[in-house]
Amino acid sequence: MDPDWDEVRTDIHVGRVTAFYGADLQKYTSFRAHLSGEGPVRQLLFNEKGVISVASKSVHMSLRRGLPRWNITHENMKDLRCMSYTSKGTSEIVVAGLQNSMFTIDVEKGVITREVPTEDGYTMMKLSRYICAATSTGSVNILEPNTFRLVKKWRAHAAGINDMDAQNNYLVTCGYSPRQQQGFMLDPLAKVFDLRTLVPLPPIPFHAGAAYVRMHPRMSTTGIVASQSGQMQVVDLMNPNTVNLRQAMVSNYITNLELAPSGEALALADADCSIHLWGSPNKIHFTEIAAPTEFADVPTNIPPPVEWTVDSPLNSVGIPYYREQLLSAWPSHLIFEVGAPPPKIDPEILASITPMEFGGYAANPRNTRRNQVENTRLSQIVEGPVRAPKFLSEKAREQAKEENIERRGSDVLEALGAMGLGNGLKAEVPAMYRNVEIKYSKFGVDDFDFEFYNRTTFSGLETHIANSYSNPLLQLYRFTPLLRNLALHHASTSCLSEKCLLCELGFLFGMLESASGQNCQATNFLKTFSSMPQATALGLVEDETVNDSLAGMIQVMNRYLLERMSSDYKQILPQSGLFEQTLATAALTSIRCVHCHSETVRPGGTYVNDLVYPSKLPLKGQLRSPQRSFSQVLKGSVERQDQTRGWCDRCRRYQSLATRKTIERVPDVFLINAAVNRAEASQFWATPDWLPEEIGMIVEGGQLFCYEGEDLRIHLQRGQHQITVYELVGVVADINSGEHQASHLVSLVNVAISSREPEPQNQWHLFNDFLVKKVSKEEALRFVPSWKLPSIIAYQVKTGRNAVDDSWKASLDTTLLYHEFSQNPRQNTTQFRLLSPETEAPRAGTHIAIDAEFVALQQEEIEMKADGTRETIRPSRLGLARVSVLRGSDGPDEGLAFIDDYISTTEPIVDHLTAYSGIQPGDLNPRTSTASLVPLKLAYKKLWLLLHLGCIFIGHGLTKDFRTINIYIPKTQVIDTVDLYYIRERQRKLSLRFLAWLLLNEDIQTETHDSIEDARTALKLWRLFESLKAEGKVESTLKEVYRRGREVGFKVPGAAGGAATPFSPAPPPGRRLRLGGGGGSSSLTGDEEGDASRGVSPAPPSFRLSALPSTPGPHSGSGPAPA
């Protein structure tokens, strides 16, 4: 029996080999292996590449389909009888017979490598620990399988050996002995020999005459002994007295017996040339993991001839149904435009033309230059359906001129409406699936109109960051409620690991939810991910990877992220199995050596299951193979059975290993890698509605049963089994836009599953980086092999729908807000003091002032065009260098810092921006810095905690700061003084230094920036604004501020030119504004006595707005000034 295919092969006395397929023993193939004059085929051996047969004078190898590979003859091959594999495995065989020499043959090359002399003639051979070779005299020679040295000679029977089998450590033989007046008769004993100790064991009694024997492939000490009359006995070698008899009803005597490698089938051959197959009808199979059987192509039915006449309708000619790309579809790089249409003749020429025999002539109107040729193809170019949006600065200028604010919204709706599909048969890639790119103006990425691409309440992710190919996978994770809950709950714990991806994922999910449609970026997550050595080793970092498929990279990344986050989750004590319960498929993997049948069982759980697609070759007698459903393919993939080569500890060499999984439990979130690596696999996805929205799984007795559609509904109605029902969350799809365009990834997600309140129906959305658009279910689940194929599929238990758990907000671990984590002692303790957990615990509505400083980690990339213009390819990348947070609530410590962290970094800094950040070289280096250095994760988590505690952030120009920090603060929790002191119609925002000079009589940022000083100044400006608001003087003050700003060019006048007179609106009576918190304060009431007590110069007397001069001062002027 074939150990690789479900086939039974027999030899015929005329040198032919015949194969029968399946349990029905349908004839598969029959071919001549040897010349008829050589007699019968003596023995068959099988390996992965074909079938080897031996006759008296030749050795032949052919493919299982019958095509020959090689045939070997030799002058010394006179009476070959048997063969066996050697110590080199299936790559070498030794052939012997009733002759004085043996031959070793290289199976791969089909050549004789050695001729080995032998004293005995051999009739059969079996390989186990040794090569057991039966002689014609009834002895068995135990040969060393490498050198063929005689190790032991065992006299098994008196006359000859009829059959034998060797497996593991035992050899069993059946043979003849001479009887008086009756010639030779079969012995009533089957002899047993121990190959470990090389001594005989007690024989097996078999009174009917032991003719044939086979050892069971899965039970090492069990064998089957049979007589020629069909009586069979199943016996245990260790207990030969135990008898289990069976009788095969055959019409003639038995000529051979063979046991299937699986142990589930027994084949008997009789003298009538019949094969009798024994086994359970439901379990019968020949091999553990059968390779797909190759069948001959079935000729298609020739359509009947069409009787064609002039009256025959054209629709009577059939059109073939196809899914593959036709050969007539030439690639774009082989298509050339030739024969441009002729230009239209100028109407002036046609009006004045004089006809002639050959045409006509007219005066040249000289509407074109000499040698100028019109490009007539321009009229054929159609503009793409998506128009690039204008920059926000351009739109603001247009709106100020046209005063037509409604126009922008209509432009967006028209553009997004044009991105839809005209119909399901549209061949080109729809615009909403194509690559989207960020354009940069002189104001950077902040000037790009992201809202043009997203009019939903779900935030997209930007693309100008390294490794942003992972954006679709992150979106899929974010809309899986149970995975989202795990990440956010972990982020709220005391985890301070710098490399914790699960924390970073929680921070990202919180930002995406708070943004509610505003664009976000996964900067911190991808920065942490890129620093992982394992990610680089797996080829997941874009800068380190060349020409790898994004579909393959995202599937490897999916597996790596889940395994990494699992280890991150276990770092927090007490450990919980919730992560494995949510995401891991619990299973046991059994690995069995096909040769010695030793089996090893080890845990085989996995977080991701790869789909394994079956072959679509039709079975015998079928015109086409049956269509497999998604649930059938998924079941075969989860319970994956495979056969590979690996090391066997028992055999002490590389052998074929059969691997099989036993499922113990399925997770709440079922993640699948589509693994569409072959064209044959992509055809499954071409079937409409092949991916179901719901599937059901039953785990019983280590087996997995998977259902969908009507089968699932029936099982749910019966209620006989505990069935887990999953619903489709979404897919990550690989989009191939065109021949010369790089493929990219998008995600299609059912956002209704992750909503906090139940939705009446599913809502599918396309997430193409920062382009987000609602699509229909049919469009989301429609796949086209030529340009849209799935990469990752996510299912979640149906009971987890809308299971959005926000209880983590009530259990935030705020310990780090009250402790110092820097190893360096603080230099200026007068401006800093930690919060007291008893009296200063932040809560909702607590006012805090914040400012941050940044350094440049990467210069911007600029492309110079042929016309001399510059285009920004990628903006400069900034990194957080220092962040300061001050107390903002009214009290004696108002304006005193409780967070003042410098961020340690090992990344190269291309520019410290000292003039704007105050950061000196070496300040961020852990080896040389004396500042209070902390990791980025720690500084970020402090801000994240303050955000979710409900604090209100006060600062100047916070939008860009928060963007660079990569945190989103809702507008209800932000007080930005750049917006408080701003008149929209003036189109200018005022700098902090200018406002401090003009309104607070303070000169800040004289040499460099200091984040504590800037945050305190913003806090003072907010307090001043509140007092002006209480007096109703905000509007008049702003007008006067802009008037004075125009006079001085919106800049603080230098000392050399003389100081212009600032002004300070007085606070309301009785309102004393003292800021500084111990490190320096100023009083907006002009209380010099209080300031002097703190060692600070008193501010100039403040006066009311009505006392301001109405004429321009000596330093008046106009012109642009930086905001």
Side-chain angles (χ1 to χ4, degrees):
M1 291 192 181
D2 197 320
D4 295 319
W5 288 21
D6 263 345
E7 293 179 358
V8 177
R9 293 183 179 265
T10 63
D11 52 85
I12 305 179
H13 292 287
V14 292
R16 298 184 67 86
V17 177
T18 304
F20 300 91
Y21 171 75
D24 297 333
L25 296 182
Q26 301 177 10
K27 191 172 182 179
Y28 174 67
T29 185
S30 180
F31 56 90
R32 180 179 294 279
H34 307 273
L35 298 176
S36 57
E38 296 185 33
V41 176
R42 299 290 186 177
Q43 186 182 347
L44 297 175
L45 282 181
F46 304 92
N47 70 2
E48 297 174 354
K49 297 185 178 180
V51 182
I52 306 172
S53 60
V54 61
S56 60
K57 297 181 180 180
S58 64
V59 184
H60 180 84
M61 182 176 182
S62 64
L63 302 179
R64 285 175 169 80
R65 293 174 297 168
L67 300 177
R69 291 198 63 187
W70 47 258
N71 190 84
I72 298 176
T73 59
H74 192 272
E75 59 182 4
N76 291 335
M77 291 182 178
K78 300 175 181 178
D79 191 5
L80 299 179
R81 295 295 183 93
C82 55
M83 57 184 169
S84 171
Y85 288 117
T86 68
S87 59
K88 296 183 179 180
T90 59
S91 62
E92 184 183 67
I93 61 173
V94 56
V95 186
L98 297 178
Q99 55 186 39
N100 56 7
S101 61
M102 300 188 298
F103 300 90
T104 60
I105 298 176
D106 188 324
V107 175
E108 298 292 332
K109 299 178 181 178
V111 295
I112 297 174
T113 57
R114 276 192 297 170
E115 184 175 356
V116 182
T118 178
E119 296 179 358
D120 298 313
Y122 298 127
T123 58
M124 61 184 67
M125 284 183 169
K126 295 292 182 180
L127 174 66
S128 179
R129 184 181 292 264
Y130 301 98
I131 296 178
C132 304
T135 67
S136 58
T137 61
S139 300
V140 177
N141 287 358
I142 309 300
L143 305 179
E144 203 277 328
N146 185 21
T147 61
F148 310 114
R149 177 180 60 86
L150 180 63
V151 178
K152 178 78 173 181
K153 191 165 187 176
W154 174 46
R155 181 70 174 179
H157 300 273
I161 295 178
N162 188 64
D163 193 17
M164 71 176 185
D165 195 14
Q167 182 171 290
N168 297 327
N169 300 315
Y170 302 102
L171 170 66
V172 185
T173 64
C174 301
Y176 295 95
S177 295
R179 301 291 176 87
Q180 292 182 359
Q181 299 178 357
Q182 294 182 357
F184 295 99
M185 294 187 65
L186 290 169
D187 284 340
L189 298 173
K191 302 296 183 67
V192 183
F193 189 80
D194 192 333
L195 295 175
R196 292 173 298 182
T197 59
L198 299 178
V199 295
L201 294 178
I204 302 171
F206 192 71
H207 301 290
Y212 304 100
V213 62
R214 285 293 177 268
M215 298 296 294
H216 197 282
R218 303 174 71 177
M219 294 180 283
S220 58
T221 62
T222 301
I224 299 177
V225 183
S227 67
Q228 289 184 331
S229 61
Q231 183 177 338
M232 294 181 292
Q233 177 177 324
V234 181
V235 64
D236 187 348
L237 300 183
M238 299 293 100
N239 188 11
N241 296 323
T242 303
V243 178
N244 188 352
L245 293 176
R246 294 288 187 273
Q247 179 65 47
M249 304 304 295
V250 293
S251 58
N252 210 328
Y253 64 91
I254 293 177
T255 59
N256 205 348
L257 176 145
E258 196 65 50
L259 189 60
S262 65
E264 301 289 347
L266 182 68
L268 303 172
D270 62 16
D272 292 335
C273 298
S274 298
I275 299 176
H276 303 265
L277 191 62
W278 276 52
S280 174
N282 298 327
K283 297 182 179 180
I284 192 167
H285 60 280
F286 300 150
T287 182
E288 287 284 351
I289 303 174
T293 305
E294 300 178 15
F295 292 98
D297 295 334
V298 179
T300 57
N301 296 328
I302 301 176
V306 178
E307 189 174 340
W308 186 260
T309 65
V310 293
D311 299 327
S312 299
L314 294 178
N315 61 7
S316 62
V317 180
I319 297 178
Y321 177 72
Y322 60 89
R323 290 175 179 165
E324 298 82 6
Q325 191 175 22
L326 299 180
L327 292 176
S328 58
W330 288 75
S332 59
H333 66 279
L334 293 180
I335 299 177
F336 305 94
E337 293 182 345
V338 295
K344 295 182 180 180
I345 301 177
D346 195 313
E348 295 185 24
I349 297 178
L350 294 176
S352 60
I353 192 169
T354 301
M356 298 291 293
E357 293 181 1
F358 56 85
Y361 66 92
N364 186 359
R366 301 193 181 279
N367 293 332
T368 58
R369 298 179 181 179
R370 183 184 296 274
N371 299 326
Q372 185 178 0
V373 179
E374 178 184 358
N375 186 357
T376 56
R377 290 195 181 94
L378 287 177
S379 59
Q380 299 179 342
I381 298 177
V382 181
E383 187 179 356
V386 180
R387 294 167 291 174
K390 295 181 180 179
F391 292 112
L392 296 178
S393 55
E394 295 176 342
K395 293 183 177 181
R397 287 193 295 268
E398 290 181 1
Q399 290 174 9
K401 293 179 181 179
E402 301 176 4
E403 297 182 355
N404 185 7
I405 300 179
E406 298 298 328
R407 177 60 185 164
R408 179 167 172 252
S410 61
D411 286 348
V412 175
L413 295 177
E414 289 175 8
L416 291 178
M419 292 193 293
L421 286 172
N423 53 63
L425 301 177
K426 200 168 186 179
E428 65 271 17
V429 180
M432 60 183 175
Y433 287 102
R434 294 176 184 169
N435 280 303
V436 288
E437 296 180 359
I438 300 176
K439 301 295 183 181
Y440 306 99
S441 70
K442 62 181 180 180
F443 300 110
V445 70
D446 296 329
D447 202 23
F448 187 75
D449 188 8
F450 289 100
E451 191 177 352
F452 182 89
Y453 295 93
N454 183 8
R455 302 290 288 180
T456 71
T457 58
F458 306 105
S459 299
L461 290 170
E462 298 175 18
T463 59
H464 63 280
I465 311 163
N467 301 314
S468 60
Y469 73 90
S470 62
N471 287 348
L473 179 59
L474 299 178
Q475 291 281 17
L476 184 62
Y477 285 172
R478 173 256 184 275
F479 286 102
T480 306
L482 299 182
L483 179 54
R484 172 258 185 204
N485 295 341
L486 282 173
L488 284 169
H489 276 275
H490 181 80
S492 66
T493 64
S494 58
C495 177
L496 297 180
S497 172
E498 298 179 47
K499 301 294 185 181
C500 181
L501 287 177
L502 191 56
C503 276
E504 296 295 345
L505 199 65
F507 298 152
L508 178 61
F509 289 169
M511 179 170 59
L512 288 169
E513 291 183 4
S514 302
S516 299
Q518 297 291 324
N519 59 291
C520 298
Q521 49 186 346
T523 308
N524 290 352
F525 176 87
L526 294 178
K527 180 180 179 181
T528 305
F529 169 76
S530 302
S531 65
M532 300 284 185
Q534 301 94 325
T536 304
L538 291 171
L540 301 179
V541 180
E542 282 184 311
D543 295 339
E544 308 291 337
T545 306
V546 181
N547 297 328
D548 274 10
S549 164
L550 286 183
M553 290 174 64
I554 199 67
Q555 291 176 77
V556 176
M557 185 182 192
N558 183 31
R559 187 181 302 277
Y560 170 71
L561 287 182
L562 294 172
E563 292 175 353
R564 177 71 191 191
M565 290 189 294
S566 173
S567 63
D568 293 340
Y569 187 82
K570 296 174 183 176
Q571 291 181 1
I572 300 299
L573 298 176
Q575 290 189 4
S576 166
L578 183 59
F579 195 93
E580 277 68 25
Q581 179 184 344
T582 304
L583 290 159
T585 303
L588 294 176
T589 301
S590 62
I591 304 173
R592 190 174 63 85
C593 176
V594 176
H595 185 264
C596 70
H597 304 291
S598 63
E599 189 169 357
T600 304
V601 179
R602 62 184 61 172
T606 181
Y607 295 102
V608 182
N609 291 278
D610 292 347
L611 286 185
V612 179
Y613 301 90
S615 174
K616 300 195 73 174
L617 293 173
L619 300 177
K620 182 175 178 65
Q622 296 179 340
L623 294 179
R624 62 177 61 183
S625 61
Q627 177 65 38
R628 298 285 188 94
S629 66
F630 176 83
S631 58
Q632 291 173 328
V633 174
L634 181 60
K635 169 182 166 58
S637 304
V638 176
E639 295 182 322
R640 185 172 183 174
Q641 300 182 17
D642 200 1
Q643 188 164 346
T644 57
R645 290 192 64 82
W647 179 260
C648 176
D649 290 332
R650 191 169 185 177
C651 298
R652 306 301 299 171
R653 58 173 175 262
Y654 286 95
Q655 298 282 18
S656 294
L657 302 179
T659 306
R660 183 173 184 175
K661 275 192 175 183
T662 302
I663 307 302
E664 295 183 326
R665 179 183 52 79
V666 289
D668 296 334
V669 177
F670 208 91
L671 289 167
I672 305 167
N673 282 345
V676 186
N677 304 321
R678 297 177 292 114
E680 188 175 278
S682 65
Q683 294 308 310
F684 284 89
W685 295 99
T687 305
D689 301 323
W690 193 67
L691 181 65
E693 282 195 276
E694 288 187 3
I695 58 174
M697 293 187 185
I698 300 174
V699 178
E700 285 187 0
Q703 287 189 311
L704 175 71
F705 303 92
C706 192
Y707 304 98
E708 65 177 85
E710 187 65 20
D711 292 339
L712 174 60
R713 187 187 65 80
I714 293 174
H715 276 80
L716 290 174
Q717 285 182 347
R718 292 176 178 173
Q720 297 178 355
H721 303 277
Q722 184 178 356
I723 185 167
T724 305
V725 181
Y726 293 86
E727 60 181 340
L728 181 63
V729 178
V731 298
V732 175
D734 181 28
I735 306 300
N736 186 6
S737 301
E739 285 284 337
H740 300 290
Q741 297 187 21
S743 64
H744 67 288
L745 302 169
V746 302
S747 55
L748 296 131
V749 181
N750 181 10
V751 298
I753 294 177
S754 58
S755 62
R756 284 176 167 76
E757 300 295 333
E759 299 287 345
Q761 57 185 5
N762 291 333
Q763 298 181 13
W764 286 89
H765 281 66
L766 166 71
F767 290 85
N768 184 4
D769 292 323
F770 52 82
L771 186 154
V772 184
K773 188 177 187 297
K774 186 175 182 180
V775 296
S776 64
K777 182 198 77 171
E778 292 73 22
E779 173 57 33
L781 303 184
R782 183 179 71 98
F783 300 98
V784 184
S786 60
W787 63 269
K788 179 186 176 186
L789 284 171
S791 296
I792 298 173
I793 307 159
Y795 281 94
Q796 181 184 264
V797 289
K798 204 168 183 180
T799 54
R801 188 182 181 97
N802 308 124
V804 178
D805 183 9
D806 288 333
S807 62
W808 56 272
K809 294 183 179 179
S811 58
L812 292 171
D813 189 325
T814 59
T815 308
L816 57 88
L817 293 176
Y818 311 113
H819 292 83
E820 184 72 78
F821 289 89
S822 175
Q823 295 181 355
N824 298 331
R826 291 195 176 271
Q827 298 176 343
N828 188 358
T829 58
T830 59
Q831 297 194 42
F832 175 87
R833 190 178 74 242
L834 286 170
L835 291 175
S836 170
E838 292 80 14
T839 60
E840 297 180 297
R843 58 181 57 89
T846 300
H847 289 87
I848 55 176
I850 183 174
D851 190 69
E853 309 294 351
F854 306 94
V855 293
L857 301 177
Q858 181 179 348
Q859 298 286 11
E860 65 178 0
E861 299 178 17
I862 299 175
E863 181 183 13
M864 298 295 298
K865 295 187 176 180
D867 57 0
T869 59
R870 301 176 6 146
E871 180 180 0
T872 302
I873 304 301
R874 178 173 289 185
S876 61
R877 182 166 63 91
L878 301 179
L880 180 63
R882 182 186 180 189
V883 59
S884 301
V885 183
L886 285 59
R887 296 167 173 84
S889 300
D890 192 11
D893 292 331
E894 183 175 357
L896 179 63
F898 62 91
I899 295 176
D900 185 27
D901 292 335
Y902 287 76
I903 313 304
S904 63
T905 180
T906 56
E907 282 190 86
I909 299 175
V910 298
D911 192 347
H912 286 82
L913 306 174
T914 304
Y916 306 100
S917 67
I919 305 298
Q920 300 290 339
D923 282 354
L924 307 183
N925 190 334
R927 298 180 178 179
T928 60
S929 177
T930 59
S932 54
L933 284 178
V934 298
L936 175 63
K937 160 78 175 291
L938 182 61
Y940 185 93
K941 191 165 186 177
K942 291 180 181 180
L943 301 181
W944 188 79
L945 288 172
L946 294 172
L947 160 66
H948 291 289
L949 288 171
C951 296
I952 298 177
F953 294 76
I954 303 169
H956 190 86
L958 292 180
T959 302
K960 189 168 185 178
D961 286 359
F962 290 150
R963 174 183 174 83
T964 309
I965 296 173
N966 196 26
I967 192 171
Y968 181 85
I969 312 293
K971 293 181 179 180
T972 55
Q973 290 181 244
V974 176
I975 298 175
D976 199 335
T977 53
V978 80
D979 295 324
L980 295 182
Y981 296 92
Y982 173 59
I983 299 177
R984 186 180 183 86
E985 291 76 14
R986 302 297 177 90
Q987 295 296 313
R988 172 184 284 275
K989 294 187 177 182
L990 307 179
S991 68
L992 181 65
R993 186 184 182 193
F994 174 74
L995 289 174
W997 169 81
L998 190 61
L999 297 176
L1000 304 178
N1001 297 339
E1002 294 183 5
D1003 196 8
I1004 64 172
Q1005 303 174 355
T1006 53
E1007 296 181 1
T1008 183
H1009 286 233
D1010 182 86
S1011 55
I1012 292 181
E1013 180 185 52
D1014 292 349
R1016 183 178 295 125
T1017 303
L1019 183 58
K1020 294 177 183 179
L1021 288 173
W1022 170 64
R1023 289 297 190 190
L1024 176 61
F1025 184 86
E1026 290 295 309
S1027 65
L1028 292 174
K1029 184 177 179 182
E1031 294 182 355
K1033 294 183 179 181
V1034 173
E1035 185 176 353
S1036 59
T1037 301
L1038 290 181
K1039 290 182 179 179
E1040 188 61 28
V1041 167
Y1042 273 88
R1043 187 187 68 79
R1044 292 294 302 275
R1046 285 195 301 272
E1047 293 176 1
V1048 296
F1050 293 96
K1051 296 181 180 179
V1052 176
T1061 304
F1063 78 95
S1064 294
R1071 173 61 169 157
R1072 182 182 180 85
L1073 302 178
R1074 184 177 301 280
L1075 303 174
S1081 64
S1082 63
S1083 173
L1084 297 181
T1085 61
D1087 190 350
E1088 302 178 8
E1089 205 172 301
D1091 290 331
S1093 65
R1094 293 179 178 267
V1096 181
S1097 301
S1102 58
F1103 51 90
R1104 294 188 177 276
L1105 187 61
S1106 57
L1108 291 173
S1110 58
T1111 57
H1115 296 283
S1116 64
S1118 61

